[in-house]
Amino acid sequence: MVQYQNKSSTAGKYFLLTGLILLIIGLINGILGAFQYVIPGLFKSSLSFEKIRPLHVSSVVFWIIVSATGGVLSYVENYTGRKLFSPTLARLQLTIFICSIFFILVSYLSGIFGGREYWEYPPVLSLPIICGWLLFLINFIVSIKFSKRQPVYVWMWFTGIVFFLFSFLESYLWIFPYFRSNIVNDMTIQWKSYGSMVGSWNMLIYGCVLFLIEKISGDDNYSKSKVSFALYFLGLINLLFNWGHHIYTLPTHHFIKTISYIVSMSELLILARIIYNWKSSITTAQKLSFLPSYKLIIAADVWILLNLLLAIAMSVPAINIYTHGTHITVAHTMGATIGINTMLLLAVAYDILCDQHQSIFQRRAFNVAYWIANVSLLLFWISLIRIGVLKAKWQMSLKQIPFSVMMKQITPYFLIFLICGLTMAIGLIFLIVPLFRSMRKQN
Amino acid sequence: MQNNMSNQIIQFLSRRVNLFIIIIFLFFSYTSFIYKFLPAKQRPANKLADSGKQLWQEKNCIACHQIYGLGGYLGPDLTNCYSLKGSDYIKSILRTGTRIMPDFKFSVEEVNAIVEYLHEVDNSGEADPRKFVKNKNGTISK
């Protein structure tokens, strides 16, 4: 039985608060973007889709990165029982991140781009992000000290930090003509880096959640067990080699596609494990259901199962040609970023920022927001899959009607997607509000 | 003798650090192989297409359009629009915009550059999913 101190310096908490503000910005821009699907041409003169989409995507991506950083910094202190090597370095990193994210969002609003999908801002703004990340790496390595055999979550944090840096740098290889002069080469390297990047931030988040579960249960056997390390290495191999499933239709090397097809299928092992452990996780959930963090982890568990089923299907090339380029891919992304990453990061935020033992009124309010967010997300996810199926039918039909006519025909489903998006955002905002209140009380 | 050796290999791999180093070594070998032998043959630089690509990024066209099925979903995939619709059609849309797409006030040179970029993209291959053959083992081929 281990007990961790719940004391962490303010640096990690401010990372989480910054992340939560970015999540709210991301949700608002997501809703504005969904409106443009239902009413084509809306805000065309001021806030057209090429501005709204990066505002939405980058805010959400930074919510994930910044709050995962906050989670790692706080839990490193909990784990070691010491303060960070340098809280000043962490504050400097946060200041750098806040300034660069501010300039990035302003550049989008002003219609100044220059980068590529997901990192559309002028490439020069990535320099402070790289510097900030290097500070994070230094702070992490010196704080942990690596003197003894470390549990699996320390490995996950280290892998996530190092490979995020590598894949982020790799995603900028396009600035060299050698990589960018041919679209096939350019896109191969682009999706190689993006695939690993997502895997890297997932390592940071899952590491935090494993630590959180250990902290709640007081049982540190799992994080040092052979099973946990086997799953970690499986995740690492997927992070490094499965990115090819994004580019099955690109005329790139065949071996890239074959390797990623084989590696992606190894996720079936993770799926089997989730199903095998389902009963025991439900029993534990019943015992710990009073904890907001644990409830959020359980929601994420369900989303992991749903998304893994979708991801495994999409990783089969013969199925991928139907789903690729359709909203089924969007459903997978939304399920992963909201259902898994956001739920897990909110679980971490509740643990770090809040007193988890709520009053009856607080517990009821939490439950209402929790169910609104999750049920809306499920309907949102299903509507995206339905839209994707309709688009796939159109893509594969021999006599294609014009694109604009096809889009008009699926507008009713976009309306459902918008309504569900709105209610989901309301649910999520009500989950976030207590975190701000709690932080204000502490101050 | 053989048993001894396989035991030693298993022992070596069961040490987490060794396994980690092997996986990372494999990854960096794979990465450098891909960098060295890029999938498509490099052709002499087409400056007009390159400036078209820059404009494509500066106007964030990928937010709405797709290339090889990757990008935004509000507009159509443009991988093969050059051969399907022709350069005049593309130019007219770039000059005026559409009900959804804003008029970016492109100059004649800028329109030509984007069209040339789309021409290069078109030459790189076909993105139409209907052209793929599904194999029994789950793979696809053309």
Side-chain angles (χ1 to χ4, degrees), chain A residues 44 170 178 181 186 253 397, chain B residues 35 37 40 42 53 98 130:
Chain A
K44 184 180 147 183
E170 192 180 39
Y178 173 76
S181 63
D186 186 23
H253 289 306
S397 66
Chain B
Y35 289 174
F37 303 101
Q42 300 284 11
K53 183 185 171 67
T98 65
R130 292 171 298 183

Side-chain angles (χ1 to χ4, degrees), chain A residues 374-417:
Chain A
N374 278 293
V375 172
S376 307
L377 178 58
L378 183 65
L379 296 173
F380 180 81
W381 191 75
I382 293 169
S383 66
L384 277 169
I385 291 179
R386 178 69 187 138
I387 294 168
V389 169
L390 292 171
K391 194 180 175 197
K393 269 189 184 171
W394 173 81
Q395 274 185 175
M396 296 308 245
S397 66
L398 292 174
K399 282 188 179 175
Q400 271 180 358
I401 52 171
F403 180 83
S404 56
V405 178
M406 179 274 294
M407 286 293 273
K408 206 172 181 183
Q409 282 178 357
I410 52 180
T411 304
Y413 294 100
F414 282 129
L415 190 62
I416 299 172
F417 155 80

Side-chain angles (χ1 to χ4, degrees), chain B residues 80-94:
Chain B
N80 301 116
C81 69
Y82 187 90
S83 53
L84 291 172
K85 302 278 183 181
S87 65
D88 289 343
Y89 179 85
I90 302 169
K91 280 179 185 172
S92 70
I93 289 198
L94 285 171

Side-chain angles (χ1 to χ4, degrees), chain B residues 122-134:
Chain B
D122 186 47
N123 279 336
S124 68
E126 261 188 312
D128 190 342
R130 292 171 298 183
K131 303 277 167 70
F132 286 90
V133 177
K134 293 163 283 264

Side-chain angles (χ1 to χ4, degrees), chain A residues 133-174:
Chain A
W133 205 261
L134 281 170
L135 298 182
F136 182 30
L137 179 65
I138 296 166
N139 221 349
F140 175 79
I141 290 176
V142 187
S143 299
I144 288 283
K145 288 185 179 152
F146 290 103
S147 54
K148 54 179 181 177
R149 283 191 93 171
Q150 300 293 345
V152 74
Y153 45 78
V154 174
W155 284 68
M156 292 169 96
W157 291 333
F158 178 70
T159 309
I161 297 171
V162 171
F163 278 96
F164 180 83
L165 186 62
F166 175 77
S167 52
F168 190 73
L169 288 169
E170 192 180 39
S171 75
Y172 278 94
L173 284 178
W174 66 267

